[in-house]
Amino acid sequence: MSIIIAGERSGVGKTTVTLTLLASLRRRDRLVQSFKVGPDYIDPMFHQHVTGRPCRNLDPVLTSETYVQQCFARHSQLTEYALVEGVMGLFDGISSLVISPLSSANDKGQITDFASTAHIARLLDLPVVLVIDCSRLSGSVAAIAHGYQSIDPRIKIAGVVLNRVGSDRHLSLLKDALKPLQLPILGVLHRQDNITIPDRHLGLVPTAELPELNALIDRLADLGDTCFDWQNLLPLLKSQPLPPPPNLPHSSSLIRIAVARDRAFNFYYQDNLDLLQQLGAELVFWSPLEDAAIPKDVQGMYFGGGFPEVFAQQLTENTSVRDGVKTAILEGMPAIAECGGLMYLCEQIIDFEGKSWAMTGVLPTSAVMGARLTLGYRRAVALQDNLLVKAGTTVHGHEFHRSHLTLTPTKPLFETSRYDCDENMGCEGWGFPANIHASYVHLHWGRSVEIPQQFLKECRTYA
């Protein structure tokens, strides 16, 4: 079983409802595995903070439909309860021509809600709990619920959670309107002035920057203890035993990889880190903000995305680390740098106020923050052999940033286009020196295990 928490649109409170459920379950000492639909990094940080377990992303664009099913099967078996948080509105996805594992092998079809919460619900055969923002409606709630209940007969709506309810009278009107639908009300959350999670230019502020987060989680647990119909919810949340897919064999030859993980760099898919370990890597977590030097005796470096622009001054002031990173890369150490990591390898970051901050200087370009948001799935074709893939290889990734580079490489890594159409998005990515892979495109290696294999091969050669 398990359930998916979906919204009738973005901003209705899916994350708040999900965290409230998770916090209340953990207060009851229930082990729960959480999942997040889509490419998001920050929501899973909040999940993990509450559950103590890494949240797993379910994204058929970055991986595949089969990988989504295998990932859910593998990790939902490890706990008594499992919970999936959706993305955007229930049916908000992209268009994609696929061969669905739910159909015959030769049945090709156009899925217009590919990678949506509804798509994941169909793939995993899970019921949906629909979160409705009731702050500006009363009787109209029935029309919304009925529409979502009836538009796709393959989707089972197990019930609704009414969020931002104003008063007892307001709740009474909502219940009266929903009664003819015979749709269970599984939770009621009244407007909460003392429960807010701050956000900024790329979404929620990450957990490591919120000193009052534990107090907030306690308030969510208090709310969850009373606002949900636990008698009907708990059976839905129980995991169903399924045979998990086999794991990759572990290698006995360890390669030490320095993984930058702190407040500036924290965008990593847990599955990527797991793959590195399964393929023979020892991950050495360190901080370009706080540490005095890069870790000793490492044969590769991995810089994920994050918010280096927010901590640019501190990164600049840590000159010993900046110099150490540059020296190691110029001496041939393989390094992956995604988005925020790419920015760190530049000569400087120019922040939103126009101030310049020196970075490592590996790349002869600067990262400039701006108002324009670059967002979306990408189909990227490698233009040359590089650290991770061979020329002509197509990978699928995701971009999400408000910076741009002042200089583009003469020999870029990729030619990119939108995932769901042929609109060209230009060339990007640095592969010079040849031992780096620096790109704005975030990659999930779930269906491309050859990527971490190639990276570790290069690290062994360097060693």
Side-chain angles (χ1 to χ4, degrees):
M1 286 292 290
S2 181
I3 57 173
I4 294 183
I5 303 297
E8 30 99 2
R9 54 189 163 86
S10 293
V12 299
K14 290 187 305 295
T15 300
T16 299
V17 170
T18 299
L19 293 178
T20 301
L21 283 165
L22 295 176
S24 191
L25 285 168
R26 287 299 296 134
R27 175 174 283 182
R28 300 160 185 239
D29 292 325
R30 308 295 179 104
L31 290 179
V32 56
Q33 175 64 54
S34 70
F35 301 86
K36 171 65 182 177
V37 178
D40 182 54
Y41 289 101
I42 299 179
D43 286 355
M45 295 181 195
F46 284 85
H47 290 208
Q48 180 170 348
H49 185 88
V50 176
T51 67
R53 305 181 64 86
C55 174
R56 307 288 170 164
N57 290 76
L58 303 176
D59 192 317
V61 175
L62 300 184
T63 58
S64 66
E65 291 182 310
T66 299
Y67 185 85
V68 166
Q69 293 171 318
Q70 291 176 342
C71 180
F72 182 80
R74 176 185 295 115
H75 296 289
S76 62
Q77 305 317 300
L78 304 178
T79 58
E80 185 179 4
Y81 298 98
L83 177 65
V84 182
E85 180 185 350
V87 62
M88 300 175 66
L90 176 57
F91 297 101
D92 295 331
I94 60 176
S95 177
S96 182
L97 186 67
V98 299
I99 300 176
S100 173
L102 304 181
S103 307
S104 63
N106 297 318
D107 181 20
K108 292 185 178 181
Q110 189 77 23
I111 296 182
T112 58
D113 62 355
F114 192 83
S116 68
T117 306
H119 182 200
I120 301 303
R122 295 193 300 266
L123 279 177
L124 303 180
D125 192 23
L126 296 182
V128 169
V129 172
L130 184 68
V131 180
I132 301 177
D133 179 358
C134 302
S135 60
R136 292 177 176 84
L137 55 84
S138 56
S140 298
V141 70
I144 295 172
H146 175 68
Y148 280 87
Q149 190 179 30
S150 59
I151 192 171
D152 186 345
R154 297 170 296 176
I155 302 297
K156 174 179 171 51
I157 305 293
V160 297
V161 170
L162 306 180
N163 192 26
R164 298 170 185 152
V165 176
S167 64
D168 291 341
R169 174 58 179 162
H170 186 197
L171 178 59
S172 179
L173 293 171
L174 295 168
K175 287 181 174 180
D176 289 344
L178 289 169
K179 191 174 298 182
L181 300 182
Q182 297 183 322
L183 192 61
I185 298 174
L186 296 175
V188 176
L189 280 71
H190 290 268
R191 292 173 185 161
Q192 304 291 325
D193 295 330
N194 66 336
I195 298 179
T196 57
I197 302 175
D199 59 7
R200 61 178 174 224
H201 54 280
L202 291 182
L204 298 179
V205 175
T207 54
E209 299 179 50
L210 300 176
E212 303 299 323
L213 182 56
N214 287 334
L216 172 64
I217 298 303
D218 284 341
R219 292 196 295 273
L220 288 173
D222 291 339
L223 177 63
D225 290 345
T226 59
C227 73
F228 294 119
D229 179 359
W230 286 105
Q231 183 175 351
N232 288 312
L233 265 176
L234 277 180
L236 293 174
L237 286 161
K238 275 190 171 291
S239 300
Q240 179 181 354
L242 295 170
N247 285 315
L248 291 173
H250 281 66
S251 170
S252 58
S253 175
L254 284 181
I255 291 293
R256 284 167 55 87
I257 305 297
V259 181
R261 189 162 72 177
D262 56 18
R263 290 169 297 156
F265 306 101
N266 45 39
F267 288 4
Y268 296 97
Y269 294 122
Q270 182 64 39
D271 289 9
N272 286 5
L273 301 178
D274 289 350
L275 277 170
L276 286 173
Q277 291 177 309
Q278 291 169 355
L279 292 168
E282 176 188 352
L283 304 185
V284 183
F285 296 104
W286 72 292
S287 172
L289 285 173
E290 305 289 349
D291 292 340
I294 64 174
K296 294 182 179 180
D297 301 321
V298 296
Q299 293 81 47
M301 291 187 288
Y302 186 6
F303 296 93
F307 293 98
E309 67 275 14
V310 175
F311 302 96
Q313 180 175 351
Q314 191 174 347
L315 290 170
T316 294
E317 292 171 350
N318 197 344
T319 55
S320 61
V321 162
R322 288 195 291 115
D323 292 343
V325 168
K326 182 175 183 178
T327 298
I329 290 177
L330 294 183
E331 290 180 350
M333 184 181 293
I336 298 172
E338 286 188 344
C339 200
L342 160 68
M343 296 166 65
Y344 185 57
L345 295 192
C346 292
E347 291 180 341
Q348 58 187 346
I349 290 176
I350 301 173
D351 64 20
F352 287 108
E353 285 73 41
K355 296 179 181 179
S356 298
W357 304 99
M359 293 293 120
T360 63
V362 173
L363 306 178
T365 185
S366 298
V368 182
M369 302 305 301
R372 180 175 178 269
L373 175 64
T374 301
L375 169 67
Y377 289 112
R378 299 289 181 261
R379 184 169 59 249
V381 179
L383 297 174
Q384 56 180 304
D385 291 351
N386 58 70
L387 178 68
L388 300 185
V389 295
K390 298 294 185 182
T393 302
T394 298
V395 296
H396 298 95
H398 188 263
E399 281 193 79
F400 189 39
H401 54 91
R402 291 190 185 273
S403 68
H404 67 275
L405 303 184
T406 55
L407 180 68
T408 56
T410 56
K411 294 184 178 180
L413 290 180
F414 297 119
E415 181 177 14
T416 65
S417 60
R418 294 192 186 277
Y419 175 81
D420 55 349
C421 67
D422 293 328
E423 180 182 350
N424 190 287
M425 300 301 294
C427 296
E428 76 91 50
W430 291 78
F432 182 81
N435 53 298
I436 67 169
H437 178 100
S439 170
Y440 271 123
V441 179
H442 294 280
L443 299 178
H444 190 299
W445 303 333
R447 71 171 174 185
S448 304
V449 68
E450 63 274 10
I451 290 178
Q453 286 175 332
Q454 177 64 23
F455 176 56
L456 293 182
K457 177 183 175 181
E458 296 295 333
C459 292
R460 290 188 176 93
T461 300
Y462 170 79

